[in-house]
Amino acid sequence: QVQVVESGGGSVQAGGSLRLSCAASLYPTYSSNCMGWFRQAPGKEREGVAAIWTGAGSTYYADFAKGRFTISQDNAKNFVYLQMNSLEAEDTAMYFCAASPFTRCRLETWYLRSAYRDWGQGTQVTVSS
């Protein structure tokens, strides 16, 4: 059974950085998948943060993430990372990794929950001001 596992969350002060990692076990190495990061703050809807198509490294970002967050990949290990810099209190949320195997990310849908099949349990990010 495919598992998606996130790690790297924690507590940081405003202006600080964190790097989240996501591993999708049982996906063939070097396979082309759409991998996304979502977040959900208390009382709010889950929203797309960034996505990457591991086939060509194409990336997609929510407006609030542009210039501060970077999504990257390690195809040999089936890992995807989210580097988050200049963190703000508003970035406090549970962050989820999502995966859609053998699927190319699309500009029109990468931020939709329905575009992904497999989900992790989430990792908490807390930013204090």
Side-chain angles (χ1 to χ4, degrees), residues 46-90:
R46 192 172 297 189
E47 61 181 351
V49 177
I52 186 167
W53 179 50
T54 62
S58 308
T59 57
Y60 306 81
Y61 293 95
D63 285 344
F64 65 80
K66 291 177 181 176
R68 298 192 300 131
F69 296 180
T70 302
I71 189 169
S72 60
Q73 65 188 74
D74 181 340
N75 277 359
K77 299 179 181 179
N78 261 350
F79 271 74
V80 171
Y81 306 99
L82 185 68
Q83 177 68 42
M84 303 187 294
N85 299 327
S86 302
L87 283 163
E88 304 167 353
E90 292 73 21

Side-chain angles (χ1 to χ4, degrees), residues 12-24:
V12 65
Q13 295 219 333
S17 299
L18 282 173
R19 189 175 86 149
L20 307 183
S21 298
C22 171

